[in-house]
Amino acid sequence: MEINRPDVVSEVAAAFADYEDALVANEVERIVGFFAADAVRFGVADQQVGLPEQTAWRRAQPPLPPGRRLKDTVITAYGADVAVVTTLFGYPETDTLGRQSQTWVRLPQGWRIVTAHVSHPALERNETAN
């Protein structure tokens, strides 16, 4: 198995950037469109299995705070059809960084997230989620 094929890393980087753009813009249908039908997402104090749960959850959430930034994003591709994206994220009002990981798989409809996990130390103490 070839690790980090440049073409695969580039494709996933573009998909991840599009996802991040949708997330920051709070475009629920677009965000959910990046997930596989049976994707599992673990948030800070929430979890969703499948698109109906994720869509309902996303619609109930307020937009992210302005100024979201990413740091130390790493994309590791395994062969032609699987990649893992990890990143730190933060907001202007705090130096505390959250953590985000996603497993992307090339499906017939394109690159989709099959699992995702978000954690944030400051939010975990308050048990609230964005």
Side-chain angles (χ1 to χ4, degrees), residues 42-67:
F42 293 124
V44 175
D46 59 280
Q47 67 181 40
Q48 302 84 45
V49 178
L51 295 181
E53 285 184 16
Q54 182 155 169
T55 301
W57 183 83
R58 289 272 177 209
R59 286 185 178 146
Q61 298 309 300
L64 295 177

Side-chain angles (χ1 to χ4, degrees), residues 16 20 68-75 85-91 95-100:
F16 178 73
E20 183 68 17
R68 177 177 161 96
R69 67 186 186 282
L70 301 181
K71 180 180 177 187
D72 298 336
T73 302
V74 176
I75 299 171
V85 179
T86 58
T87 195
L88 301 173
F89 65 91
Y91 300 96
D95 290 332
T96 304
L97 296 174
R99 298 165 300 273
Q100 177 178 316

